Amino acid sequence: MKNKLIYLSLLLIGCSKDYIKEEVYLISATPSIEVRTTSPSIIIPEVSSIDIISERYSSVNETTGYFKSQEYFTEYLSKQFIESHLSISYDGHTNFKTFQRNSAITDIDGDGKQDIIAFANSFCNEHTYSYHHGKIIYISDYKNSFFKQVFDVEVYFGSGKLEVNDFNSDGISDVILSSHDTKMNSYHSNEDVGGSTNNSPVHPHLITFENGLKITKVGIASDVHSFTSGDIDNDGDIDFIQWPIPGSYNNETTYFPPSVALNDGNGNFTNQNLVLGLSDRWYATSVELFDVNGDNNLDLLLGWRVGSQKYETWEGDLTGTFNSPVILFGNGSGFLSLDNKLVLEESFLSSRDITAATLGFGFTDFNNDGDVDIIVTNTREEPDGTFEDGTYYDNYYLLFFENINNSFAESTFLIQDSFNQSLTFPNFYYIKTIDIDNDGDFDIIPDGIANWGPINYLSNLHWKNTGNNYEKSW
């Protein structure tokens, strides 16, 4: 090992008053830091422990990252847990914090136990967040162990998400980290941050386990806000999609056409333009693969602006053309077409003059009629909105689209208390559908919760499926 630096530090975990000695090894190659505790009996801070069963789907839908991400899911992580176990006090200059959206619960080492893979962003007093390269954190069997490994990674801002799937066909889940590394290159008025860097886009990072974590670059260097995977060409292996989000590098746009990375079955990918004949730009904050019309071909759901149309639209840019999420129906070829689409028309937000951003999709059979209904998580995003007044993030709005002969009628009234703008629970990026009470119906669980803000959110929010509607519970 080269450039090895060893130091000892004391870390206070939670409120237990137990001091943990850390041995930190700084190495020039990945993994660059290994953090090990001397007390295996540390009590992990409380999380919402519920005995759950994940919803099951058709064979093609169980190839998707959406399904794989909830295969080992038992609770969303509390703010206390993230701050205590998925953060790093490093070199006196930089600390690293995990945004829950950049974490995944899965079994990456194949031992049948729940592991955590997370990406931690840099924070320091002298620079904006994500000014320095971040770290990948790995905890094996996180319910029963506090052994944390930390890896160097060439990613600044891991905004994409951690996509769980078996990308190398070995029967064990892997993880892909995607990013929006150019975000801080530009000033963002809503957040009053940015404009002090000139970072280039980077490739997604594939994380596999081969006698330890192995990290390789795949796909194309890109700025994305979301990521999705599944067997889009029906050949038995897992492909992934990269969809652009606005960015700039060297004062030029980082736009690229939406891309599909087709897998050869061994984790080797070939990128192709995803949407045939697409000549306009099209940005999205959320994309998800799922067969929603039951033809055994994966469809793509995507969106950004939803509700009242208050943002300027541009010729040659489809982003503002649709004020609701869009479905691009698949045909099993691996490619999509604008000629085969459906807009999920909504009225819940627009009738309230609310402009929002779509953050994620969930899929369920609400009334056990054999088809797929769609849940969409959104957050308010007014053009001049702020965190402080609840008009820019730090709130959530759920939409529900019931599948009626594949027509998808908006039925948000079925979700009790489907929105919160009182600054008591922040926005969240993912939706899990699991059976909390083992009654055969699948309930709505939030995940990927925005934990960096001041809101001390509850650890057990969910919407229980009563058979007639979803009742909010916490």
Side-chain angles (χ1 to χ4, degrees):
M1 298 180 183
K2 298 180 180 179
N3 302 327
K4 182 167 74 173
L5 172 67
I6 302 178
Y7 68 91
L8 297 179
S9 63
L10 294 178
L11 178 65
L12 180 62
I13 302 296
C15 299
S16 65
K17 299 184 180 180
D18 293 328
Y19 287 92
I20 305 304
K21 184 184 295 183
E22 293 180 337
E23 294 180 356
V24 181
Y25 296 81
L26 180 60
I27 314 165
S28 61
T30 301
S32 67
I33 308 172
E34 185 178 90
V35 183
R36 51 166 69 95
T37 65
T38 57
S39 172
S41 60
I42 192 70
I43 298 175
I44 295 177
E46 182 180 359
V47 293
S48 173
S49 297
I50 46 181
D51 185 16
I52 57 89
I53 301 173
S54 174
E55 187 163 2
R56 302 302 302 267
Y57 307 98
S58 66
S59 295
V60 70
N61 278 333
E62 293 197 357
T63 72
T64 63
Y66 175 82
F67 171 73
K68 298 299 288 186
S69 71
Q70 66 180 35
E71 189 176 24
Y72 283 86
F73 180 82
T74 54
E75 68 278 318
Y76 61 80
L77 302 174
S78 70
K79 188 169 185 175
Q80 179 190 11
F81 179 89
I82 296 169
E83 292 176 351
S84 297
H85 297 297
L86 299 181
S87 300
I88 309 164
S89 298
Y90 187 33
D91 58 7
H93 174 80
T94 309
N95 297 319
F96 297 88
K97 300 179 182 179
T98 293
F99 196 50
Q100 189 182 345
R101 185 188 183 202
N102 298 140
S103 66
I105 297 172
T106 188
D107 177 22
I108 197 169
D109 56 12
D111 65 356
K113 299 176 182 178
Q114 294 166 293
D115 311 320
I116 290 179
I117 299 289
F119 174 80
N121 291 266
S122 70
F123 283 80
C124 63
N125 293 329
E126 298 179 18
H127 305 107
T128 61
Y129 69 89
S130 300
Y131 185 87
H132 306 283
H133 284 131
K135 309 291 181 183
I136 287 177
I137 298 174
Y138 167 48
I139 302 177
S140 177
D141 188 16
Y142 85 96
K143 288 290 189 68
N144 299 298
S145 173
F146 187 65
F147 178 87
K148 178 166 58 178
Q149 294 182 359
V150 186
F151 298 75
D152 279 339
V153 65
E154 295 178 11
V155 173
Y156 290 97
F157 186 53
S159 72
K161 75 174 178 180
L162 292 180
E163 180 74 4
V164 177
N165 222 318
D166 179 10
F167 294 100
N168 58 6
S169 305
D170 65 355
I172 300 173
S173 286
D174 315 302
V175 172
I176 289 183
L177 166 65
S178 57
S179 63
H180 185 186
D181 264 18
T182 73
K183 177 179 178 180
M184 291 303 180
N185 294 353
S186 304
Y187 177 71
H188 301 270
S189 59
N190 297 98
E191 302 180 34
D192 191 23
V193 69
S196 59
T197 62
N198 189 34
N199 301 326
S200 63
V202 299
H203 291 260
H205 286 48
L206 172 62
I207 307 168
T208 57
F209 191 90
E210 301 175 23
N211 297 316
L213 289 194
K214 178 181 177 182
I215 304 172
T216 56
K217 296 178 183 178
V218 294
I220 59 175
S222 59
D223 287 320
V224 301
H225 192 267
S226 187
F227 204 85
T228 186
S229 63
D231 186 7
I232 191 173
D233 56 1
N234 287 342
D235 65 351
D237 50 41
I238 305 303
D239 317 297
F240 65 82
I241 286 173
Q242 296 171 256
W243 198 284
I245 193 75
S248 65
Y249 171 59
N250 285 338
N251 296 316
E252 294 184 359
T253 179
T254 59
Y255 180 82
F256 64 96
S259 177
V260 57
L262 298 175
N263 196 337
D264 70 354
N266 297 310
N268 302 308
F269 299 94
T270 301
N271 280 81
Q272 305 283 344
N273 287 350
L274 172 65
V275 184
L276 300 178
L278 178 66
S279 58
D280 295 330
R281 293 186 181 185
W282 197 357
Y283 298 105
T285 50
S286 183
V287 293
E288 200 73 69
L289 282 169
F290 213 79
D291 173 20
V292 296
N293 61 356
D295 66 353
N296 294 315
N297 298 312
L298 291 180
D299 311 307
L300 183 70
L301 288 88
L302 70 148
W304 188 346
R305 308 296 183 201
V306 58
S308 295
Q309 184 65 272
K310 300 175 187 175
Y311 283 84
E312 187 173 358
T313 58
W314 304 91
E315 184 178 354
D317 189 336
L318 293 179
T319 308
T321 302
F322 309 107
N323 62 350
S324 288
V326 176
I327 303 172
L328 296 179
F329 291 105
N331 57 16
S333 69
F335 303 99
L336 305 172
S337 172
L338 267 176
D339 295 332
N340 193 12
K341 70 177 182 301
L342 176 69
V343 179
L344 294 175
E345 300 290 353
E346 66 79 36
S347 61
F348 184 86
L349 296 172
S350 54
S351 66
R352 292 165 171 79
D353 195 29
I354 290 172
T355 301
T358 294
L359 300 181
F361 298 95
F363 308 97
T364 189
D365 184 1
F366 161 65
N367 50 8
N368 295 318
D369 61 354
D371 54 27
V372 174
D373 308 302
I374 300 170
I375 312 159
V376 189
T377 177
N378 311 272
T379 190
R380 194 166 185 182
E381 190 187 40
E382 303 293 341
D384 298 316
T386 66
F387 290 114
E388 290 75 18
D389 65 6
T391 56
Y392 182 79
Y393 284 66
D394 272 350
N395 55 72
Y396 64 80
Y397 291 82
L398 294 178
L399 297 175
F400 186 79
F401 295 90
E402 185 177 3
N403 190 332
I404 302 174
N405 297 321
N406 294 327
S407 63
F408 297 101
E410 194 210 345
S411 305
T412 301
F413 66 90
L414 292 172
I415 303 180
Q416 179 191 77
D417 295 331
S418 64
F419 68 98
N420 184 334
Q421 56 182 4
S422 62
L423 300 181
T424 57
F425 201 96
N427 53 291
F428 49 89
Y429 292 80
Y430 310 134
I431 295 167
K432 312 295 188 189
T433 54
I434 55 179
D435 186 0
I436 292 177
D437 48 10
N438 200 29
D439 64 353
D441 294 321
F442 295 96
D443 313 298
I444 300 173
I445 314 297
D447 191 29
I449 296 158
N451 57 293
W452 280 351
I455 300 174
N456 292 314
Y457 56 83
L458 301 168
S459 62
N460 60 350
L461 174 66
H462 63 278
W463 284 264
K464 176 177 168 51
N465 185 340
T466 67
N468 297 311
N469 61 10
Y470 289 98
E471 292 185 359
K472 183 179 177 181
S473 179
W474 62 95

mmCIF file with all atom_site columns, all heavy atoms in Angstrom, residues 436-448:
data_model
loop_
_atom_site.group_PDB
_atom_site.id
_atom_site.type_symbol
_atom_site.label_atom_id
_atom_site.label_alt_id
_atom_site.label_comp_id
_atom_site.label_asym_id
_atom_site.label_entity_id
_atom_site.label_seq_id
_atom_site.pdbx_PDB_ins_code
_atom_site.Cartn_x
_atom_site.Cartn_y
_atom_site.Cartn_z
_atom_site.occupancy
_atom_site.B_iso_or_equiv
_atom_site.pdbx_formal_charge
_atom_site.auth_seq_id
_atom_site.auth_comp_id
_atom_site.auth_asym_id
_atom_site.auth_atom_id
_atom_site.pdbx_PDB_model_num
ATOM 1  N N   . ILE A 1 436 ? -47.200 -4.060  5.139  1.00 0.00 ? 436 ILE A N   1
ATOM 2  C CA  . ILE A 1 436 ? -46.743 -3.784  6.506  1.00 0.00 ? 436 ILE A CA  1
ATOM 3  C C   . ILE A 1 436 ? -47.376 -4.730  7.515  1.00 0.00 ? 436 ILE A C   1
ATOM 4  O O   . ILE A 1 436 ? -46.714 -5.263  8.407  1.00 0.00 ? 436 ILE A O   1
ATOM 5  C CB  . ILE A 1 436 ? -47.074 -2.328  6.890  1.00 0.00 ? 436 ILE A CB  1
ATOM 6  C CG1 . ILE A 1 436 ? -46.213 -1.377  6.066  1.00 0.00 ? 436 ILE A CG1 1
ATOM 7  C CG2 . ILE A 1 436 ? -46.852 -2.092  8.376  1.00 0.00 ? 436 ILE A CG2 1
ATOM 8  C CD1 . ILE A 1 436 ? -46.515 0.069   6.335  1.00 0.00 ? 436 ILE A CD1 1
ATOM 9  N N   . ASP A 1 437 ? -48.688 -4.949  7.409  1.00 0.00 ? 437 ASP A N   1
ATOM 10 C CA  . ASP A 1 437 ? -49.417 -5.681  8.444  1.00 0.00 ? 437 ASP A CA  1
ATOM 11 C C   . ASP A 1 437 ? -49.779 -7.103  8.027  1.00 0.00 ? 437 ASP A C   1
ATOM 12 O O   . ASP A 1 437 ? -50.591 -7.760  8.676  1.00 0.00 ? 437 ASP A O   1
ATOM 13 C CB  . ASP A 1 437 ? -50.682 -4.921  8.831  1.00 0.00 ? 437 ASP A CB  1
ATOM 14 C CG  . ASP A 1 437 ? -51.484 -4.477  7.614  1.00 0.00 ? 437 ASP A CG  1
ATOM 15 O OD1 . ASP A 1 437 ? -51.155 -4.925  6.490  1.00 0.00 ? 437 ASP A OD1 1
ATOM 16 O OD2 . ASP A 1 437 ? -52.419 -3.681  7.782  1.00 0.00 ? 437 ASP A OD2 1
ATOM 17 N N   . ASN A 1 438 ? -49.198 -7.590  6.929  1.00 0.00 ? 438 ASN A N   1
ATOM 18 C CA  . ASN A 1 438 ? -49.385 -8.976  6.500  1.00 0.00 ? 438 ASN A CA  1
ATOM 19 C C   . ASN A 1 438 ? -50.859 -9.327  6.292  1.00 0.00 ? 438 ASN A C   1
ATOM 20 O O   . ASN A 1 438 ? -51.315 -10.416 6.613  1.00 0.00 ? 438 ASN A O   1
ATOM 21 C CB  . ASN A 1 438 ? -48.764 -9.950  7.521  1.00 0.00 ? 438 ASN A CB  1
ATOM 22 C CG  . ASN A 1 438 ? -48.503 -11.315 6.921  1.00 0.00 ? 438 ASN A CG  1
ATOM 23 O OD1 . ASN A 1 438 ? -48.267 -11.431 5.721  1.00 0.00 ? 438 ASN A OD1 1
ATOM 24 N ND2 . ASN A 1 438 ? -48.555 -12.345 7.742  1.00 0.00 ? 438 ASN A ND2 1
ATOM 25 N N   . ASP A 1 439 ? -51.603 -8.355  5.703  1.00 0.00 ? 439 ASP A N   1
ATOM 26 C CA  . ASP A 1 439 ? -53.021 -8.611  5.453  1.00 0.00 ? 439 ASP A CA  1
ATOM 27 C C   . ASP A 1 439 ? -53.295 -8.893  3.980  1.00 0.00 ? 439 ASP A C   1
ATOM 28 O O   . ASP A 1 439 ? -54.447 -9.000  3.566  1.00 0.00 ? 439 ASP A O   1
ATOM 29 C CB  . ASP A 1 439 ? -53.872 -7.426  5.924  1.00 0.00 ? 439 ASP A CB  1
ATOM 30 C CG  . ASP A 1 439 ? -53.588 -6.146  5.149  1.00 0.00 ? 439 ASP A CG  1
ATOM 31 O OD1 . ASP A 1 439 ? -52.638 -6.139  4.331  1.00 0.00 ? 439 ASP A OD1 1
ATOM 32 O OD2 . ASP A 1 439 ? -54.305 -5.148  5.367  1.00 0.00 ? 439 ASP A OD2 1
ATOM 33 N N   . GLY A 1 440 ? -52.234 -9.007  3.182  1.00 0.00 ? 440 GLY A N   1
ATOM 34 C CA  . GLY A 1 440 ? -52.391 -9.306  1.774  1.00 0.00 ? 440 GLY A CA  1
ATOM 35 C C   . GLY A 1 440 ? -52.511 -8.098  0.871  1.00 0.00 ? 440 GLY A C   1
ATOM 36 O O   . GLY A 1 440 ? -52.486 -8.232  -0.355 1.00 0.00 ? 440 GLY A O   1
ATOM 37 N N   . ASP A 1 441 ? -52.645 -6.894  1.469  1.00 0.00 ? 441 ASP A N   1
ATOM 38 C CA  . ASP A 1 441 ? -52.700 -5.663  0.688  1.00 0.00 ? 441 ASP A CA  1
ATOM 39 C C   . ASP A 1 441 ? -51.368 -4.927  0.834  1.00 0.00 ? 441 ASP A C   1
ATOM 40 O O   . ASP A 1 441 ? -50.725 -4.980  1.891  1.00 0.00 ? 441 ASP A O   1
ATOM 41 C CB  . ASP A 1 441 ? -53.830 -4.754  1.181  1.00 0.00 ? 441 ASP A CB  1
ATOM 42 C CG  . ASP A 1 441 ? -55.194 -5.356  0.927  1.00 0.00 ? 441 ASP A CG  1
ATOM 43 O OD1 . ASP A 1 441 ? -55.370 -5.968  -0.138 1.00 0.00 ? 441 ASP A OD1 1
ATOM 44 O OD2 . ASP A 1 441 ? -56.073 -5.219  1.796  1.00 0.00 ? 441 ASP A OD2 1
ATOM 45 N N   . PHE A 1 442 ? -50.968 -4.216  -0.207 1.00 0.00 ? 442 PHE A N   1
ATOM 46 C CA  . PHE A 1 442 ? -49.659 -3.571  -0.200 1.00 0.00 ? 442 PHE A CA  1
ATOM 47 C C   . PHE A 1 442 ? -49.807 -2.083  0.060  1.00 0.00 ? 442 PHE A C   1
ATOM 48 O O   . PHE A 1 442 ? -50.609 -1.401  -0.566 1.00 0.00 ? 442 PHE A O   1
ATOM 49 C CB  . PHE A 1 442 ? -48.943 -3.851  -1.521 1.00 0.00 ? 442 PHE A CB  1
ATOM 50 C CG  . PHE A 1 442 ? -48.632 -5.310  -1.674 1.00 0.00 ? 442 PHE A CG  1
ATOM 51 C CD1 . PHE A 1 442 ? -49.481 -6.137  -2.393 1.00 0.00 ? 442 PHE A CD1 1
ATOM 52 C CD2 . PHE A 1 442 ? -47.526 -5.869  -1.045 1.00 0.00 ? 442 PHE A CD2 1
ATOM 53 C CE1 . PHE A 1 442 ? -49.218 -7.495  -2.503 1.00 0.00 ? 442 PHE A CE1 1
ATOM 54 C CE2 . PHE A 1 442 ? -47.261 -7.219  -1.150 1.00 0.00 ? 442 PHE A CE2 1
ATOM 55 C CZ  . PHE A 1 442 ? -48.108 -8.047  -1.879 1.00 0.00 ? 442 PHE A CZ  1
ATOM 56 N N   . ASP A 1 443 ? -49.039 -1.628  1.019  1.00 0.00 ? 443 ASP A N   1
ATOM 57 C CA  . ASP A 1 443 ? -49.127 -0.273  1.528  1.00 0.00 ? 443 ASP A CA  1
ATOM 58 C C   . ASP A 1 443 ? -48.035 0.595   0.901  1.00 0.00 ? 443 ASP A C   1
ATOM 59 O O   . ASP A 1 443 ? -47.077 0.090   0.308  1.00 0.00 ? 443 ASP A O   1
ATOM 60 C CB  . ASP A 1 443 ? -48.995 -0.301  3.052  1.00 0.00 ? 443 ASP A CB  1
ATOM 61 C CG  . ASP A 1 443 ? -49.889 -1.365  3.683  1.00 0.00 ? 443 ASP A CG  1
ATOM 62 O OD1 . ASP A 1 443 ? -51.111 -1.249  3.532  1.00 0.00 ? 443 ASP A OD1 1
ATOM 63 O OD2 . ASP A 1 443 ? -49.362 -2.319  4.286  1.00 0.00 ? 443 ASP A OD2 1
ATOM 64 N N   . ILE A 1 444 ? -48.166 1.914   1.030  1.00 0.00 ? 444 ILE A N   1
ATOM 65 C CA  . ILE A 1 444 ? -47.216 2.857   0.441  1.00 0.00 ? 444 ILE A CA  1
ATOM 66 C C   . ILE A 1 444 ? -46.224 3.297   1.508  1.00 0.00 ? 444 ILE A C   1
ATOM 67 O O   . ILE A 1 444 ? -46.621 3.795   2.574  1.00 0.00 ? 444 ILE A O   1
ATOM 68 C CB  . ILE A 1 444 ? -47.944 4.083   -0.125 1.00 0.00 ? 444 ILE A CB  1
ATOM 69 C CG1 . ILE A 1 444 ? -48.934 3.670   -1.221 1.00 0.00 ? 444 ILE A CG1 1
ATOM 70 C CG2 . ILE A 1 444 ? -46.940 5.100   -0.662 1.00 0.00 ? 444 ILE A CG2 1
ATOM 71 C CD1 . ILE A 1 444 ? -49.811 4.815   -1.702 1.00 0.00 ? 444 ILE A CD1 1
ATOM 72 N N   . ILE A 1 445 ? -44.934 3.125   1.222  1.00 0.00 ? 445 ILE A N   1
ATOM 73 C CA  . ILE A 1 445 ? -43.868 3.535   2.139  1.00 0.00 ? 445 ILE A CA  1
ATOM 74 C C   . ILE A 1 445 ? -42.982 4.536   1.413  1.00 0.00 ? 445 ILE A C   1
ATOM 75 O O   . ILE A 1 445 ? -42.530 4.270   0.295  1.00 0.00 ? 445 ILE A O   1
ATOM 76 C CB  . ILE A 1 445 ? -43.004 2.335   2.577  1.00 0.00 ? 445 ILE A CB  1
ATOM 77 C CG1 . ILE A 1 445 ? -43.876 1.148   2.975  1.00 0.00 ? 445 ILE A CG1 1
ATOM 78 C CG2 . ILE A 1 445 ? -42.062 2.749   3.710  1.00 0.00 ? 445 ILE A CG2 1
ATOM 79 C CD1 . ILE A 1 445 ? -44.763 1.385   4.152  1.00 0.00 ? 445 ILE A CD1 1
ATOM 80 N N   . PRO A 1 446 ? -42.695 5.703   2.013  1.00 0.00 ? 446 PRO A N   1
ATOM 81 C CA  . PRO A 1 446 ? -41.753 6.628   1.381  1.00 0.00 ? 446 PRO A CA  1
ATOM 82 C C   . PRO A 1 446 ? -40.318 6.156   1.595  1.00 0.00 ? 446 PRO A C   1
ATOM 83 O O   . PRO A 1 446 ? -40.013 5.436   2.551  1.00 0.00 ? 446 PRO A O   1
ATOM 84 C CB  . PRO A 1 446 ? -42.014 7.943   2.123  1.00 0.00 ? 446 PRO A CB  1
ATOM 85 C CG  . PRO A 1 446 ? -42.436 7.502   3.492  1.00 0.00 ? 446 PRO A CG  1
ATOM 86 C CD  . PRO A 1 446 ? -43.213 6.221   3.283  1.00 0.00 ? 446 PRO A CD  1
ATOM 87 N N   . ASP A 1 447 ? -39.436 6.559   0.700  1.00 0.00 ? 447 ASP A N   1
ATOM 88 C CA  . ASP A 1 447 ? -38.012 6.242   0.852  1.00 0.00 ? 447 ASP A CA  1
ATOM 89 C C   . ASP A 1 447 ? -37.222 7.297   0.077  1.00 0.00 ? 447 ASP A C   1
ATOM 90 O O   . ASP A 1 447 ? -37.783 8.054   -0.706 1.00 0.00 ? 447 ASP A O   1
ATOM 91 C CB  . ASP A 1 447 ? -37.715 4.843   0.314  1.00 0.00 ? 447 ASP A CB  1
ATOM 92 C CG  . ASP A 1 447 ? -36.316 4.364   0.681  1.00 0.00 ? 447 ASP A CG  1
ATOM 93 O OD1 . ASP A 1 447 ? -35.799 4.793   1.732  1.00 0.00 ? 447 ASP A OD1 1
ATOM 94 O OD2 . ASP A 1 447 ? -35.744 3.574   -0.084 1.00 0.00 ? 447 ASP A OD2 1
ATOM 95 N N   . GLY A 1 448 ? -35.907 7.327   0.300  1.00 0.00 ? 448 GLY A N   1
ATOM 96 C CA  . GLY A 1 448 ? -35.095 8.358   -0.324 1.00 0.00 ? 448 GLY A CA  1
ATOM 97 C C   . GLY A 1 448 ? -35.484 9.729   0.172  1.00 0.00 ? 448 GLY A C   1
ATOM 98 O O   . GLY A 1 448 ? -35.700 10.663  -0.595 1.00 0.00 ? 448 GLY A O   1
#
